[in-house]
Amino acid sequence: MASTSTTATVADDVEAEAFKRLYPEQFFDRFLGEGVRPDGRPLGRARAVTIGAGAITSADGSALVKVGRTSVLAGVRLELIRPDETTPGQGQLALNVELAPFSSPDYRPGRSATDAVSGVVEKLQAALLSGKDTVLLNTLCVAEGKAAWKAQLDVYVLDADGCVTDAVLLASIAALRNTRLPLVRNTKEGNYVPARRAEEGAAGLVEGCPRSVGLGRCPLALTCCLYKQHVLVDPTADEERLAECAVTVVVDQGGRLQGVYKAGGKVLADAATLLKCTEAARLRHKELSGLLEQSLQMGAEAAAER
């Protein structure tokens, strides 16, 4: 039989949840008055992150990323193609982002991924495909003008509890880094086909065949939101709904600024706020880079055992 104290605790939790739903700003302000957020974090602290490289054994590369409750699964599928005539020495990278129907209470059937995830597709394209030194498409070339790899990067947002762009970009980078390009052989008919593991020492293998996707930069993102003059690092979905504006900053491994995105909002982000967000993004990059290397190492060891 439930005790009186247990019953009282449950009643308090229900009352707090009801107050949060009816008066979200007042609920949030009570925590900010104490210098913390509802999940117990200080204003400037990001959520814990886990990275599982090689999460999908049937994919050529994959990663499962969790940022707090936000969960994103990314997978890479490889296909040998004939290079485009305008870029005979390059392969291709295709991107696709999907939002799971159960990932967010804001989900509406029939909306495209671009609408539902607030332009995350465009931000991912800008981070991975703008310029020539993020994904090095020439490393996907097998034989100039004859054969190249097309890498299809599919990203699935499983739980959209804030900062979806940050998690999508991290999962994409991890999946691409986890991808191992198979050896390729040239058949008697002149066709290029992936070599099976048993054929790796056979005749007809293409010499100098690339084995990994080249990444010249490692862009990672951090989103901050502004709420009543407070800068909240790595906001949850509830915090994003209350925010007066949100800023996503993308930096590379050298701390160089790669992009700043502000999606509307009630107020402008001044120079001081942008500087604070940028410095927070640089610190976050160092933290995530260490976690990423550890996960890739574990993924490689697991793949070697299979």
Side-chain angles (χ1 to χ4, degrees), residues 131-147:
K132 299 180 180 180
D133 56 349
T134 303
V135 178
L136 304 177
L137 297 179
N138 63 311
T139 64
L140 297 176
C141 180
V142 176
E144 186 169 346
K146 298 178 180 180

Side-chain angles (χ1 to χ4, degrees), residues 11-288:
D12 290 342
D13 291 342
V14 171
E15 184 178 344
E17 185 62 27
F19 182 77
K20 174 184 175 181
R21 292 182 178 275
L22 292 172
Y23 309 102
E25 288 196 28
Q26 292 89 329
F27 175 84
F28 199 57
D29 289 343
R30 285 188 177 184
F31 287 91
L32 287 185
E34 301 295 328
V36 297
R37 293 144 79 172
D39 59 8
R41 285 183 293 154
L43 277 60
R45 180 176 298 172
R47 291 172 292 179
V49 173
T50 60
I51 306 172
I56 310 174
T57 56
S58 59
D60 295 295
S62 63
L64 174 63
V65 165
K66 293 185 178 181
V67 182
R69 283 177 44 194
T70 298
S71 302
V72 174
L73 181 65
V76 176
R77 292 179 290 120
L78 296 172
E79 176 188 1
L80 274 176
I81 62 170
R82 191 176 186 86
D84 191 286
E85 292 182 357
T86 60
T87 54
Q90 294 184 1
Q92 298 177 12
L93 174 65
L95 307 176
N96 176 56
V97 179
E98 294 186 19
L99 185 73
F102 49 80
S103 63
S104 169
D106 298 329
Y107 176 86
R108 296 293 182 273
R111 296 174 64 191
S112 68
T114 301
D115 294 332
V117 194
S118 302
V120 66
V121 175
E122 288 87 345
K123 295 174 186 175
L124 181 61
Q125 289 176 331
L128 296 181
L129 297 176
S130 63
K132 299 180 180 180
D133 56 349
T134 303
V135 178
L136 304 177
L137 297 179
N138 63 311
T139 64
L140 297 176
C141 180
V142 176
E144 186 169 346
K146 298 178 180 180
W149 290 108
K150 176 182 178 181
Q152 174 67 51
L153 174 61
D154 294 307
V155 185
Y156 301 93
V157 180
L158 305 178
D159 193 334
D161 188 31
C163 298
V164 171
T165 296
D166 307 0
V168 164
L169 181 54
L170 176 58
S172 299
I173 291 292
L176 289 170
R177 289 278 308 276
N178 178 249
T179 300
R180 187 70 171 170
L181 303 178
L183 291 173
V184 177
R185 66 183 180 88
N186 194 354
T187 67
K188 295 179 180 179
E189 296 78 16
N191 299 319
Y192 290 85
V193 296
R196 296 190 297 272
R197 182 169 296 184
E199 299 174 323
E200 292 192 355
L205 292 178
V206 178
E207 294 184 4
C209 194
R211 301 308 309 272
S212 61
V213 181
L215 296 176
R217 289 183 294 133
C218 180
L220 297 175
L222 177 67
T223 297
C224 302
C225 69
L226 188 62
Y227 177 78
K228 296 184 178 180
Q229 306 306 312
H230 298 289
V231 176
L232 308 178
V233 172
D234 184 26
T236 63
D238 287 340
E239 293 170 339
E240 287 182 336
R241 293 187 191 99
L242 291 175
E244 295 160 338
C245 83
V247 177
T248 299
V249 178
V250 181
V251 297
D252 66 9
Q253 65 271 30
R256 293 176 291 270
L257 189 65
Q258 302 300 316
V260 177
Y261 307 92
K262 180 181 179 298
K266 302 175 184 177
V267 300
L268 296 174
D270 58 25
T273 299
L274 292 176
L275 181 60
K276 185 178 295 187
C277 295
T278 301
E279 288 304 313
R282 287 171 176 149
L283 292 174
R284 183 65 159 173
H285 195 295
K286 293 181 180 179
E287 174 190 358
L288 296 179

